[in-house]
Amino acid sequence: MKYKFIFGNAPELAQAELEAVNPKDSDDPQKSINLLGGTVKIVQILPPDIKLSEVITGDFGVSDLTGKINITKLCKDLKNETKQRFVLPKRGERQLSSVVVAKQKLTELIIGDGWTGKTVAVQDFEQWNRRDYGRPAVEAHIGMLPPKVARMMVNLTNSKIKNQSAKVTILDPFCGVGTILSEAMMVGAGVIGSDKDIKQVERSKNNLEWLSITYQLEPSRFQLHVADARKVSKVLLADSVDAIVTEPFLGPANNQILESLYYDSLQDWLKVLQPGGQVVIALPFFMVDKEKLMGYSFLGGPYPYFRPQAKIRRYIWHIQKLPA
């Protein structure tokens, strides 16, 4: 079967995540979408000669990616054939939201350029919201990284993490309330978190314990430290980390202070990363001076992520420690 993957608000990052995880040949679309943070729908491509009315088994809707289809007319025609109720996208939009498709259990037909498909998996918005707003320690006022973006960043590091038995250790040296650590644990990685603020470390501990109980994960798969990100090598063993995934302090501060924080941290992390270990880091700058990143090579990015009217725009970089 052939599938199309419909991305959410950060399509460049979602595409990079998809290529890293590579679930394209999976025979379980729902399992695949549960792994991915940036894909909101998985669509099975239909044979070109199939009659659309034969695909519809109940209430249905149509999403148009081409901008050329009269959705209302097509839905009315299909209703006349199937006698089923249809749901239209919101006024001014061309696609049904994954929330509407899931809540109303719709058969969704998607029209693309040269293809037609049927949605076979949608993102589990309830579980994402649960890990965002349902955990015990939340600090919405500081503009936390959303769990979906954290998952995409984690998934960039190595496709091995999709295997629950993989022995992969991920470090977040600016762990905050533990969003990145949580999403790394959800895909089977062991995690280490550190932060110079002891209160944040306590919040991470509360959230990771809640996550372990809620999703029946191994609580022994996380450890936490109070440490400055620029000196995390003082509390960790050399070459003990497979990947670092993090969003450091983004401001307010002048660029010179922030750049010093980022570059000093990256240099210290070379001591704890294994040879070939990867770093996925969200920064407020579009460009990074490659000449200052001694010891690393670039793998991808910057991938933009920002919400409308956001004060800070994140750019996610993917780099790798050079072999010794």
Side-chain angles (χ1 to χ4, degrees), residues 10 62 81 152 184 215 304:
V62 173
E81 293 183 59
M152 286 189 275
Y215 292 93

Side-chain angles (χ1 to χ4, degrees), residues 234-246:
K234 294 185 179 296
V235 297
L236 299 180
L237 297 174
D239 301 337
S240 60
V241 174
D242 295 290
I244 294 173
V245 182
T246 193

Side-chain angles (χ1 to χ4, degrees), residues 24-248:
K24 297 177 182 178
D25 297 326
S26 172
D27 58 358
D28 188 342
Q30 192 59 53
K31 183 178 179 181
S32 294
I33 206 168
N34 287 344
L35 174 63
L36 298 165
T39 297
V40 296
K41 299 174 187 175
I42 297 179
V43 181
Q44 180 185 332
I45 304 303
L46 299 172
D49 57 348
I50 196 168
K51 192 174 181 181
L52 294 182
S53 59
E54 296 177 354
V55 179
I56 296 171
T57 57
D59 294 348
F60 71 95
V62 173
S63 292
D64 171 35
L65 306 183
T66 71
K68 302 173 183 177
I69 303 298
N70 186 327
I71 297 176
T72 302
K73 182 179 184 305
L74 177 57
C75 285
K76 287 181 177 179
D77 291 343
L78 290 171
K79 178 182 178 180
N80 290 335
E81 293 183 59
T82 64
K83 309 305 179 187
Q84 302 289 349
R85 183 181 74 94
F86 66 84
V87 176
L88 293 172
K90 288 183 180 179
R91 183 181 296 274
E93 297 184 4
R94 306 290 300 177
Q95 296 185 55
L96 293 163
S97 73
S98 57
V99 174
V100 169
V101 174
K103 276 192 169 182
Q104 300 197 33
K105 299 180 180 179
L106 301 179
T107 297
E108 182 188 26
L109 301 174
I110 297 188
I111 312 296
D113 284 316
W115 59 271
T116 301
K118 174 186 175 181
T119 299
V120 291
V122 295
Q123 205 170 55
D124 190 338
F125 64 93
E126 290 182 341
Q127 290 303 319
W128 287 107
N129 287 341
R130 186 182 196 186
R131 294 200 300 279
D132 197 357
Y133 305 109
R135 52 190 169 168
V138 179
E139 287 191 321
H141 67 282
I142 61 173
M144 293 185 304
L145 193 72
K148 291 181 184 180
V149 179
R151 174 69 66 88
M152 286 189 275
M153 291 174 66
V154 167
N155 278 340
L156 282 184
T157 60
N158 198 311
S159 61
K160 289 190 300 182
I161 59 176
K162 66 182 177 180
N163 181 352
Q164 292 287 338
S165 65
K167 301 299 181 183
V168 176
T169 300
I170 291 179
L171 165 67
D172 181 357
F174 294 91
C175 68
V177 299
T179 303
I180 288 172
L181 301 178
S182 295
E183 294 309 312
M185 286 182 65
M186 288 295 295
V187 296
V191 301
I192 303 172
S194 64
D195 201 290
K196 69 177 184 179
D197 185 344
I198 190 171
K199 292 181 179 179
Q200 293 292 68
V201 173
E202 285 297 320
R203 293 184 180 106
S204 279
K205 181 175 182 291
N206 291 339
N207 284 338
L208 296 182
E209 288 178 343
W210 170 86
L211 186 84
S212 299
I213 294 170
T214 302
Y215 292 93
Q216 298 182 328
L217 306 177
E218 296 178 40
S220 60
R221 298 205 70 164
F222 75 83
Q223 55 178 287
L224 297 168
H225 303 274
V226 178
D228 189 315
R230 295 166 290 188
K231 301 175 182 178
V232 72
S233 62
K234 294 185 179 296
V235 297
L236 299 180
L237 297 174
D239 301 337
S240 60
V241 174
D242 295 290
I244 294 173
V245 182
T246 193
E247 179 182 72

Side-chain angles (χ1 to χ4, degrees), residues 244-296:
I244 294 173
V245 182
T246 193
E247 179 182 72
F249 178 66
L250 300 178
N254 66 52
N255 286 2
Q256 186 175 358
I257 292 174
L258 291 178
E259 286 180 356
S260 177
L261 170 64
Y262 303 154
Y263 291 130
D264 289 349
S265 297
L266 285 162
Q267 287 304 301
D268 184 71
W269 300 344
L270 289 170
K271 301 173 185 177
V272 300
L273 277 170
Q274 292 185 2
Q278 300 175 37
V279 177
V280 177
I281 183 169
L283 298 175
F285 309 126
F286 182 78
M287 291 301 296
V288 168
D289 186 346
K290 297 181 182 181
E291 297 299 322
K292 295 182 181 179
L293 280 180
M294 301 298 293
Y296 292 96

